Amino acid sequence: MKLSVKSDYAVRAVAGLARHFHTGQAQTAEALATEFGVPPNYLVQILIELKSNQIVRSVRGKAGGYLLARPPAEITMGDVLRAIHGEVFDSPALTDSQCPPELRRTWKKLQAALDEAAASINFQQLLEESTEKEKMYYI
């Protein structure tokens, strides 16, 4: 399975917004794009999709930009991937009546496993991993 660049950029944007969630300050699309090396115009399109799925919200005005719509602990990788792609994993075989039943069951198992894995990872966990990494000392 190969995820799109769009899903990677969406996850990067949500991770960036999660890092600033505690401040309550909106982040501009341009700042996020610069931080993560993402094309700004493309990121704006992604943020609009995330907004329509209630993952981020926008703030207008001079201090405007984007914020997470809810705490990082309440947003999973699965939420972001579904917002961008509709499903974490999809295969035409899942609905193909010509696909042998044993293969269709196998595809469904794979779909369930990936959905479960994506739902088990939230952005608070990613923040904590990042914080622990910053606390490490190297000799």
Side-chain angles (χ1 to χ4, degrees):
M1 182 175 100
K2 183 176 180 178
L3 292 173
S4 69
V5 169
K6 186 177 183 180
S7 60
D8 177 42
Y9 290 171
V11 169
R12 290 184 198 193
V14 173
L17 292 173
R19 200 173 9 253
H20 298 282
F21 181 78
H22 69 282
T23 69
Q25 293 180 334
Q27 302 298 304
T28 65
E30 293 78 17
L32 289 169
T34 300
E35 181 179 359
F36 294 108
V38 176
N41 292 337
Y42 192 36
L43 185 59
V44 169
Q45 294 172 13
I46 293 168
L47 289 166
I48 290 169
E49 286 185 54
L50 293 171
K51 181 181 173 189
S52 71
N53 285 278
Q54 291 83 42
I55 294 173
V56 303
R57 64 185 178 92
S58 60
V59 177
R60 293 181 183 228
K62 185 177 178 183
Y66 293 89
L67 299 160
L68 291 182
R70 51 189 192 271
E74 296 177 17
I75 301 171
T76 67
M77 293 284 284
D79 294 333
V80 175
L81 295 175
R82 278 188 295 280
I84 297 302
H85 295 297
E87 289 291 334
V88 173
F89 173 83
D90 197 11
S91 169
L94 290 166
T95 57
D96 182 358
S97 61
Q98 299 298 312
C99 181
E102 64 276 6
L103 290 178
R104 201 168 325 120
R105 283 192 298 275
T106 301
W107 288 120
K108 286 182 182 181
K109 284 181 187 177
L110 183 57
Q111 181 183 46
L114 290 172
D115 280 340
E116 183 180 326
S120 72
I121 303 166
N122 68 54
F123 285 85
Q124 184 62 43
Q125 293 167 322
L126 296 176
L127 277 175
E128 290 166 3
E129 285 181 28
S130 176
T131 303
E132 286 302 313
K133 184 179 175 184
E134 289 173 7
K135 289 181 183 177
M136 295 180 77
Y137 295 100
Y138 295 95
I139 298 175

